[in-house]
Amino acid sequence: MTPETYEKGSLSLAGTVAMGTGVMIGAGIFALTGQVAQFSGPAFPLAFLLAAIISGFSAYTYIKMSDKYPSSGGIAMILQKAYGPTTIAAASALLMTMSMIINESLVARTFGAYSLQLFDVAQKDTLIPVLAVGLIVLAFLVNIAGNQVIGSVSKVAAVLKIGGILFFSGATLWASGFSFEAASTAAENVTSPAGFLAGVALAVLAFKGFTTITNSGAEVRNPGKNVGRAIMWSLTICLVVYMSVAFAVGSSLTLEEIVAAKDFSLAEASRPAFGDLGVGFTVIIAIIATASGLLASVFAVSRMLAMLTDMKLIPQRHFGMPGNIQKHMLVYTVVVAATLAAFFDLGRIASLGAIYYLVMDIIIHFGVLRHLRKSIGARAWTLVAAILFDMTALGAFIFIKAMADPAIVVIAIGSMAAIFAFEAFYLGKVRNKETPDDAGSHVQ
């Protein structure tokens, strides 16, 4: 990549961990706790634990690849090395990109939903997308300022939100006498095994922010060591935070109450013990967490899209805009994220993102297993386990959503088919006319 696009060594280990946890905690806790509980029932904390295990197996692939090939836009790099400059590589990279953009719209709407808890206003359904779009625009402006500003903001926000969330969890658990009785009073048949696995699949979305670190590999200092360290530290920190919050919410609210307030369940969980003061504190932490999470995600997505254009896997047009490719990609990213935030609700946004991510993750693990395992020294059984975990969670999730909301399954399948068709057309008809095929093939 060109020096004007990427700043090599501009992200410290601490800054990289802050960026990873920023993406994960921004969406995972505030947007998904209630959504996961709706699927998994009283055992929703266990769903987060199993999601962390699945994410740990997935992280193995990304860490092994990043150790050998540290690169900004790392997921695109993995796919290109596994499959060559093919339709499957390009389309899978776009699936990951879309999953991350969907996550941005999810976080932005969560920001809106929590912010409005501070005010007694009508027409919340109208104001939530307005606030969401406003946050996306703000994230765009901060990203233009450069990596140092992003790193500094991410570090401060990470300390505030992790400390605040752990304080909320501890105080709520203390007030309840460290009991999980409220949520556990739900009927035993409130969910099925498939429903529980669907909750696990959605909870995986709460951990996928570690891929943000992979996408910024070339910008991390000493990436051969620090990318893997940052991923594991981020996953560990987030697991501790998620489990503490899950138990705190379950100790304060019944399952029915969690589901009823699923878009802002943490705020509601603080109300029984601490009243409006607790709600206000939780909302402030949510605003910090979602804003910093969106900031980090926009940073990573723009880098990944710029990498795809350099690989000539997607077309790029500047439409008269000034600046380099990365700045153009920032514009495209925020436009798509803002559109989704304006027209999709939290549940559908989360569902679409989970399906995209799990499909892409399976394709990556299979490609590394098939073509790159020996060259990077990866264990076959770990890669196979990652594939099986993803397939089980994805199958259960699609099964449950097909019964409850078949439209989103149709949208997911149709949009994925459109992405693959677009890439087949571009690579087969357009790119080959513009430039010779010099991108190389997969590494054996």
Side-chain angles (χ1 to χ4, degrees), residues 79-80 82-95 313 360 363-364 366-367 420 423-424 427:
L79 288 163
Q80 191 271 344
Y83 295 102
T86 61
T87 296
I88 190 169
S92 298
L94 277 185
L95 284 182
L313 294 178
M360 181 282 309
I363 291 172
I364 280 188
F366 180 79
F420 275 83
E423 285 295 348
L427 297 180

Side-chain angles (χ1 to χ4, degrees), residues 347-368:
R348 284 191 159 185
I349 291 173
S351 297
L352 196 59
I355 293 171
Y356 279 2
Y357 174 73
L358 288 170
V359 169
M360 181 282 309
D361 204 45
I362 291 168
I363 291 172
I364 280 188
H365 296 315
F366 180 79
V368 172

Side-chain angles (χ1 to χ4, degrees), residues 19-25 96 100 103 204-214 234-235 242 300 357:
M19 185 174 62
T21 56
V23 175
M24 287 188 272
I25 294 176
M96 181 60 195
M100 296 172 74
N103 180 74
V204 167
L205 196 63
F207 289 94
K208 81 173 187 66
F210 75 83
T211 58
T212 301
I213 298 170
T214 307
S234 296
L235 287 173
Y242 291 175
Y357 174 73

